[in-house]
Amino acid sequence: MIIKHLTVGSIGTNCYLLEDEAAGLCAAVDPGGSAQEILSALAADGVSLSMILLTHGHFDHTGAVAALREAYPGVKVYLHPADRAMLGTPVMPAIGETVDYGEGDTLSFGPLTLRVLHTPGHTPGGVCLDTGEVLFTGDTLFQGSMGRTDLGGGSYEELMASLKKLGSLPGDRQVCPGHMGLTTLEAERKSNYYLMEAMAP
């Protein structure tokens, strides 16, 4: 199993390709644009797209979904139901039918088990995906920062509660955020003002 990182779309969204080389399959986290680049990466690596995992519904995380579905008509697209209201709006173009997932759900992909953590605040249906070693945080937690709360459905209080949930996870994780650089959960516990505020007694 390898995890590839692509920077896609007009505002530099991090898309992650989880490639199960043995099975020849891939799960894509937040394919926010640059569909042809993603398709070329899949072809070069000899893997087929089997699922798309969305951390939330904003266009910069969903922009390539429609094109990827054309290339892989049977692919399942997972989205928290609280973000379905965005479908077909300017912030989230229509992407077709989605499969609900939410707090406590698990998805198996090759040797990985991804646990869904509902982390609202940036959007009502924001989620993070936790493998126990790697944490895909979407626009909840960034390196040294956190997601915006001034967009529709955003809430500073909810995002702080979500950050506390992440900060309270046992041990360390590689943090793969929706924008900016990769980091670790322990580094953010020690240096991220927002996470430290959320964790304060």
Side-chain angles (χ1 to χ4, degrees), residues 72-89:
Y72 294 95
V75 69
K76 291 184 177 180
V77 180
Y78 291 83
L79 177 72
H80 192 283
D83 273 6
R84 278 207 310 262
M86 296 182 188
L87 289 167
T89 70

Side-chain angles (χ1 to χ4, degrees), residues 17-57:
L17 303 180
L18 286 57
E19 298 185 354
D20 182 352
E21 298 168 295
L25 297 174
C26 175
V29 178
D30 287 350
S34 309
Q36 191 53 56
E37 180 182 351
I38 296 171
L39 290 170
S40 295
L42 297 176
D45 293 342
V47 293
S48 297
L49 187 63
S50 64
M51 64 175 71
I52 295 173
L53 310 174
L54 300 176
T55 62
H56 64 289

Side-chain angles (χ1 to χ4, degrees), residues 6-180:
L6 302 176
T7 303
V8 300
S10 59
I11 60 175
T13 300
N14 293 330
C15 170
Y16 301 96
L17 303 180
L18 286 57
E19 298 185 354
D20 182 352
E21 298 168 295
L25 297 174
C26 175
V29 178
D30 287 350
S34 309
Q36 191 53 56
E37 180 182 351
I38 296 171
L39 290 170
S40 295
L42 297 176
D45 293 342
V47 293
S48 297
L49 187 63
S50 64
M51 64 175 71
I52 295 173
L53 310 174
L54 300 176
T55 62
H56 64 289
H58 285 157
F59 74 92
D60 58 315
H61 292 253
T62 64
V65 171
L68 294 177
R69 294 191 99 154
E70 286 185 14
Y72 294 95
V75 69
K76 291 184 177 180
V77 180
Y78 291 83
L79 177 72
H80 192 283
D83 273 6
R84 278 207 310 262
M86 296 182 188
L87 289 167
T89 70
V91 298
M92 184 180 182
I95 60 171
E97 184 178 351
T98 60
V99 180
D100 290 347
Y101 67 175
E103 179 69 29
D105 288 343
T106 58
L107 296 170
S108 294
F109 182 73
L112 293 181
T113 297
L114 297 108
R115 183 165 62 103
V116 181
L117 306 174
H118 183 210
T119 53
H122 180 64
T123 67
V127 302
C128 296
L129 303 169
D130 181 26
T131 73
E133 295 182 356
V134 180
L135 184 64
F136 299 95
T137 59
D139 285 4
T140 299
L141 175 66
F142 298 142
Q143 183 180 36
S145 189
M146 67 175 190
R148 295 174 60 175
T149 60
D150 60 337
L151 303 173
S155 165
Y156 184 86
E157 291 75 18
E158 287 187 343
L159 191 52
M160 293 303 287
S162 294
L163 289 178
K164 184 174 183 179
K165 177 188 288 188
L166 298 184
S168 300
L169 291 171
D172 200 6
R173 307 282 197 283
Q174 174 77 56
V175 172
C176 295
H179 301 275
M180 302 189 291

Side-chain angles (χ1 to χ4, degrees), residues 172 183-192:
D172 200 6
T183 183
T184 66
L185 190 56
E186 188 59 25
E188 297 310 301
R189 288 185 183 120
K190 293 176 179 178
S191 63
N192 185 316

